[in-house]
Amino acid sequence: MRIKRILITGASGQIGSVLTEALVIKYGKQNVIVTDINKPSHDLAKFEILNILDKERLLSLIDQYQITEIYHLAALLSAKGEQNPLFTWELNMNGLFNVLEAAREKNIDRIFYPSSIAIYGDRTPRIDTPQDTVFNPSTVYGMSKLAGEHWCAYYHKRFGLDIRSLRYPGIVSYQSLPGGGTTDYAVEIFHYAIKGDHYTCYLKDDTRLPMMYIPDAIRATLSLMEAPSEKINERGSYNLSGMDFTPKELVAEIQKNIPDFTTDYAPDFRQAIADSWSDSIDDSAARNDWGWSPNYDLESMTKDMILNLKKKIKTALPSTKQIVKEL
Ligand code: SER
């Protein structure tokens, strides 16, 4: 095996920024290259601008940094994607094709591709959604992720590419805000609660969705990518489950820590998207094949989110003071 040199696309996003940190800790700063159309808010690793639709630039970065692995996170998510369906399809599909073709041309050893609960639809079994079942996605994002899963399986079978994928649930994290998803409320809500503000949720209070806390999502990603090839029986994408909850249940959990927190509900177009997704997921294939098991439930996640957001505010204060002093 060659020395791992990793390129991340979409690295400035919600998952990318935390994954960068984990990969830098694991493989060293010199072996991780982060790319995005937006500069990340940290300098954990070398950053290069990359629009994933620019295949020539991707090829030249692979050569320049002798890349051996790609984590392809760049994509438009479910809610934002609906504002521009054709461009979402173009970005999500052609971005993936550029990665797959570049990987083939440049002999990339391993690729990670995130899929999503957005591939499920209103004919998909809602409770304990099985690994293989009816998939009728309701958004262009979901359609692109489902098609992407098939293309990953195809490139594995036809060209022997070692591509691995997870169907992420909604991801809750304190490091950065998500951008343009239907599950974003579960992050936003904490920021309002911490500041002592009232929160108006864009989903109904009883909308149950599968969710996962970011440390579990990162651990799942790294475990999958490190598993020996013979353990990976699913070359489309693995179902992945952490926890599931409704806005009402999350509010009640936050109120255990912040009793004065108040909310109301004003469902918008995202309600229909959320209604088409599953309540809970059967991830036994991931558990059996490469030993997946989540650590966080609603209670432990909520405590940890509040703790970390409070810490962030505290550590932000001295540097803000410094800036003000220097004015
Ligand atoms: N979090 C994503 C979204 O809401 C689901 O993959 O679009």
Side-chain angles (χ1 to χ4, degrees):
M1 203 68 168
R2 306 182 273 177
I3 293 177
K4 264 191 217 297
R5 304 214 76 199
I6 296 165
L7 181 140
I8 310 173
T9 75
S12 300
Q14 187 197 10
I15 297 174
S17 50
V18 190
L19 190 61
T20 301
E21 195 177 8
L23 289 170
V24 164
I25 291 169
K26 205 157 173 50
Y27 299 111
K29 188 171 177 160
Q30 71 285 5
N31 293 320
V32 180
I33 306 299
V34 296
T35 71
D36 201 295
I37 50 168
N38 302 310
K39 207 175 172 322
S41 53
H42 56 75
D43 60 354
L44 291 166
K46 171 84 182 151
F47 171 71
E48 294 280 2
I49 287 271
L50 172 66
N51 177 341
I52 198 54
L53 295 176
D54 184 350
K55 187 178 166 201
E56 290 313 308
R57 170 106 177 118
L58 174 63
L59 289 171
S60 88
L61 288 174
I62 291 173
D63 282 342
Q64 186 184 341
Y65 293 104
Q66 297 164 335
I67 297 300
T68 64
E69 285 194 7
I70 300 176
Y71 287 69
H72 174 44
L73 306 182
L76 271 169
L77 296 186
S78 61
K80 195 156 182 212
E82 291 307 288
Q83 286 157 15
N84 198 343
L86 295 187
F87 178 66
T88 301
W89 181 259
E90 185 194 338
L91 181 83
N92 291 3
M93 295 314 299
N94 291 344
L96 174 62
F97 291 142
N98 286 345
V99 169
L100 292 174
E101 277 300 287
R104 200 159 71 90
E105 283 171 39
K106 300 291 179 187
N107 294 316
I108 294 297
D109 293 333
R110 206 162 275 184
I111 300 165
F112 177 74
Y113 174 69
S115 184
S116 160
I117 52 170
I119 68 155
Y120 310 141
D122 61 6
R123 296 205 309 277
T124 305
R126 239 192 142 74
I127 316 281
D128 288 336
T129 301
Q131 174 69 36
D132 291 308
T133 182
V134 177
F135 299 123
N136 63 318
S138 64
T139 59
V140 179
Y141 169 65
M143 284 156 57
S144 71
K145 286 295 173 186
L146 183 56
E149 286 190 13
H150 289 301
W151 277 103
C152 289
Y154 178 85
Y155 266 71
H156 174 71
K157 196 167 165 204
R158 176 87 199 269
F159 305 116
L161 277 190
D162 188 355
I163 309 173
R164 301 161 181 216
S165 173
L166 295 171
R167 293 170 181 156
Y168 285 133
I171 304 294
V172 180
S173 66
Y174 55 87
Q175 292 90 339
S176 62
L177 285 166
T182 301
T183 57
D184 294 7
Y185 91 85
V187 180
E188 282 170 10
I189 198 168
F190 281 99
H191 288 259
Y192 281 75
I194 290 286
K195 282 189 256 160
D197 289 344
H198 177 83
Y199 182 65
T200 300
C201 183
Y202 56 77
L203 295 181
K204 286 196 268 180
D205 66 353
D206 60 351
T207 312
R208 184 169 298 283
L209 285 171
M211 299 277 184
M212 178 171 280
Y213 194 31
I214 189 84
D216 275 340
I218 300 300
R219 205 163 47 77
T221 309
L222 297 185
S223 308
L224 175 73
M225 287 299 275
E226 280 160 17
S229 280
E230 61 276 12
K231 298 240 182 216
I232 311 297
N233 296 315
E234 182 49 64
R235 289 295 181 167
S237 189
Y238 278 99
N239 269 5
L240 187 70
S241 176
M243 63 188 91
D244 54 82
F245 54 78
T246 64
K248 197 175 173 179
E249 288 166 359
L250 178 57
V251 169
E253 202 54 50
I254 294 174
Q255 283 169 338
K256 282 189 197 165
N257 301 271
I258 306 172
D260 295 342
F261 181 47
T262 58
T263 47
D264 64 356
Y265 299 88
D268 66 13
F269 74 100
R270 288 168 280 194
Q271 185 64 47
I273 300 176
D275 285 343
S276 74
W277 293 352
S278 295
D279 285 4
S280 60
I281 291 163
D282 173 359
D283 62 358
S284 47
R287 288 172 186 262
N288 295 337
D289 286 2
W290 44 276
W292 167 244
S293 165
N295 283 341
Y296 285 90
D297 60 12
L298 177 57
E299 190 183 344
S300 52
M301 175 191 79
T302 304
K303 275 209 177 81
D304 203 63
M305 272 296 283
I306 291 173
L307 193 82
N308 277 294
L309 283 176
K310 279 187 177 161
K311 252 195 237 161
K312 260 185 108 175
I313 291 171
K314 263 198 199 135
T315 52
L317 278 176
S319 53
T320 311
K321 271 190 199 146
Q322 190 60 33
I323 293 165
V324 176
K325 234 165 112 188
E326 283 164 10
L327 281 175

